[in-house]
Amino acid sequence: MIGGKYKALILWQLMTNKTLRFSQLRKQIPCATPKMLTTQLRELESHQLINRKVFPVVPPKVEYSLTAFGESIQPVLQAMYKWGSHCLNNQGLNVNCSMEPMPAKQKR
C-alpha cells in the first residue's frame, strides 16, 4: 500500500499539514513529476489511505487529506524516519529529505 516512490512522502506531508491541494503537494515534493504524483495519489486513494475532495468551482479545486485508516500508519512512518535518521547519523551524514520530525502528540 505504501510501496511507491513518493507514497511515504505524500502521507508524511498530509500528516504534517492535514489538507493539501495538488499544487501544494508538488511544491513539497518537487522531484515528483505531475504524472507520478497523480499516480501515487490515485493508488493511495484506492487503498483508502487518503481522501480526495473535489470542489465544483472553476478552476477546479481538489484537496487531499488522510482517512482514519491513513492516520493509523503515522507511528510506522515516524519509526522509519527515526531509524533512517539514526542510520545516517551513524555514517556521519545528515538527513537531506523533505521530511521533518513530527511534534509528539499530546496525551489527553
Side-chain angles (χ1 to χ4, degrees):
M1 286 186 190
I2 63 167
K5 189 169 184 176
Y6 300 107
K7 288 180 183 177
L9 286 172
I10 292 167
L11 292 169
W12 190 272
Q13 291 301 324
L14 291 173
M15 286 176 193
T16 306
N17 298 295
K18 301 296 181 206
T19 302
L20 289 172
R21 295 180 66 181
F22 185 83
S23 61
Q24 293 171 310
L25 281 166
R26 283 199 60 204
K27 287 177 187 171
Q28 295 294 327
I29 309 170
C31 50
T33 64
K35 183 180 187 288
M36 179 59 79
L37 189 57
T38 298
T39 300
Q40 301 281 283
L41 287 165
R42 285 183 182 156
E43 289 175 10
L44 288 168
E45 184 182 14
S46 73
H47 291 300
Q48 300 175 346
L49 291 165
I50 64 170
N51 287 315
R52 180 178 184 263
K53 185 174 182 183
V54 180
F55 295 88
V57 294
V58 176
K61 178 181 175 183
V62 179
E63 289 183 345
Y64 296 93
S65 61
L66 293 174
T67 62
F69 181 54
E71 288 177 4
S72 71
I73 201 163
Q74 184 171 348
V76 174
L77 292 180
Q78 285 181 314
M80 289 171 59
Y81 177 84
K82 185 177 177 181
W83 178 81
S85 298
H86 179 73
C87 288
L88 288 172
N89 288 333
N90 283 345
Q91 296 175 29
L93 303 171
N94 294 321
V95 177
N96 63 350
C97 69
S98 61
M99 298 166 89
E100 296 289 331
M102 289 185 195
K105 284 193 171 188
Q106 296 184 6
K107 295 180 181 177
R108 293 180 184 191

